[in-house]
Amino acid sequence: MLVEIGMLIVGLFILIVGGDLLVRGASSIALRSHISPLVVGLTIVAFGTSAPELLISIKAALDGSPDMTMGNVVGSNICNLGLVLGITAIIGPIKVQADSIKIDWPVTMGSSLLLYFVVKEDVAMIKTYEGIIFLILLIGYTVFIIRKSRRETKAKMGLEEADVDVPAPSRSLWKDIFRIALGCLGLYFGAEWFVGGAKSMATSLGVSERVIGITVLALGTSLPELVTAIVASVKKETDLALGNLMGSNIFNILSILGITSIIQDIHVSKQIIHHDMVAMLIVTLILLPMMLYKRSVGRISGAILLVLYVVYTYTVII
């Protein structure tokens, strides 16, 4: 068991480092090519930070472990809104931006419902053409967000740029290329070790790959978001936390499952459809009244979300 745990920890570390190197290298090249930091932040950075989850999902699907693929995505979405948002709100109330109510939540709920009805009506499978539809929807959503952000930024600052967290460009093109290559290698080998350790752990513990995907993989890939959210909450800089978490959920469904299903049809077990996806829909639905009440997700709401996550995880494990 120690070997499997070691593979998980090392694999996750290499995945995170690989994703960071990929983001820095690609962002630097894009900025040097005079692409707006706003566009870089909403495309390259967003994609790069989800690259570990994407590689894990593709690796699991190709290895014949679709429950790990679906468990990773669905479990991560529940973890984002239950564990991460819950802990963040308990540390300090989170202000709800107007866009979170008007745009982020409807798209998050719509993406979740789309996934549910696709697998429920289509013999429990996400096929290639459905993955293409997911990606088209993601591109449309991203273009909409970029245009909206540009308009708002111009109105506020008279500039095209926005205050987004984008790594500064380096002075050397070859350094950027080296970062991208090293990042891709890190993502590949990190996914190999992380998924391999998870499958070995499932065998050793005698539990299903679905359980490992929803608990170990989902929690592991959500750790960066958890750490970032906790630090932001302690610094009382949580204004964008809610939108970022819902954006991550949208990206998980439309991008990760979209790309993975284009490479390999994803079979979905009945347990994931009738238990885990329903839990994801419930947590997302419950979030709306919390957001509308006083336009703030407070400590009581955070405690409710955290309890729901703990109860859900308990029902998965037993």
Side-chain angles (χ1 to χ4, degrees):
M1 183 61 67
L2 289 177
V3 175
E4 286 84 356
I5 294 174
M7 287 177 66
L8 282 170
I9 295 173
V10 172
L12 180 61
F13 175 76
I14 294 176
L15 276 167
I16 293 171
V17 172
D20 182 65
L21 287 171
L22 179 64
V23 166
R24 291 183 178 278
S27 297
S28 180
I29 290 176
L31 292 172
R32 190 180 287 109
S33 303
H34 306 294
I35 296 175
S36 164
L38 173 64
V39 176
V40 174
L42 292 174
T43 55
I44 294 173
V45 174
F47 181 83
T49 52
S50 293
E53 289 96 322
L54 175 61
L55 266 291
I56 288 171
S57 295
I58 292 174
K59 170 66 178 172
L62 292 177
D63 283 356
S65 302
D67 276 4
M68 280 194 176
T69 298
M70 292 302 302
N72 180 35
V73 170
V74 176
S76 290
N77 283 12
I78 297 171
C79 188
N80 281 343
L81 298 185
L83 179 67
V84 178
L85 184 59
I87 290 177
T88 306
I90 289 172
I91 295 174
I94 301 172
K95 294 180 181 178
V96 177
Q97 304 289 326
D99 283 351
S100 292
I101 297 174
K102 296 177 181 178
I103 300 172
D104 298 329
W105 186 87
V107 178
T108 303
M109 192 68 194
S111 301
S112 301
L113 286 169
L114 174 64
L115 174 62
Y116 178 73
F117 286 113
V118 161
V119 298
K120 190 172 184 293
E121 300 298 328
D122 193 17
V123 294
M125 182 185 296
I126 306 176
K127 297 181 179 179
T128 299
Y129 76 90
E130 291 164 336
I132 293 173
I133 293 173
F134 281 13
L135 284 184
I136 291 172
L137 291 173
L138 178 69
I139 292 170
Y141 172 71
T142 303
V143 170
F144 169 77
I145 292 298
I146 290 174
R147 288 181 175 176
K148 182 177 181 300
S149 298
R150 275 183 165 174
R151 287 196 302 269
E152 292 176 349
T153 304
K154 286 180 180 179
K156 291 179 181 178
M157 304 170 59
L159 298 171
E160 187 178 287
E161 308 303 335
D163 183 18
V164 291
D165 186 17
V166 177
S170 68
R171 295 181 179 179
S172 170
L173 175 61
W174 289 110
K175 184 177 181 180
D176 296 334
I177 294 173
F178 178 72
R179 279 176 172 172
I180 292 173
L182 199 60
C184 289
L185 282 174
L187 288 169
Y188 175 79
F189 287 108
E192 286 273 347
W193 293 334
F194 195 63
V195 173
K199 292 184 73 170
S200 298
M201 180 176 288
T203 302
S204 299
L205 294 175
V207 299
S208 69
E209 292 181 349
R210 163 184 166 262
V211 171
I212 294 296
I214 285 171
T215 54
V216 178
L217 294 191
L219 183 58
T221 54
S222 292
L223 280 179
E225 286 93 338
L226 178 60
V227 173
T228 301
I230 290 175
V231 171
S233 185
V234 170
K235 292 181 178 179
K236 301 187 184 301
E237 298 173 353
T238 59
D239 286 3
L240 299 177
L242 187 57
N244 289 342
L245 288 173
M246 287 192 286
S248 176
N249 282 18
I250 295 167
F251 207 88
N252 282 346
I253 293 173
L254 298 182
S255 172
I256 294 176
L257 292 183
I259 294 173
T260 304
S261 60
I262 289 173
I263 297 173
Q264 174 81 35
D265 288 347
I266 305 175
H267 295 267
V268 187
S269 69
K270 296 295 183 183
Q271 278 184 305
I272 290 179
I273 295 173
H274 299 302
H275 185 271
D276 307 315
M277 286 190 184
V278 170
M280 179 179 68
L281 291 171
I282 290 173
V283 172
T284 307
L285 182 62
I286 287 174
L287 182 60
L288 181 60
M290 293 179 175
M291 293 165 60
L292 293 172
Y293 181 69
K294 294 185 178 180
R295 294 296 180 95
S296 173
V297 180
R299 289 188 171 87
I300 294 177
S301 295
I304 292 172
L305 289 170
L306 187 57
V307 168
L308 286 174
Y309 178 75
V310 171
V311 171
Y312 162 73
T313 304
Y314 177 76
T315 63
V316 169
I317 295 174
I318 61 171

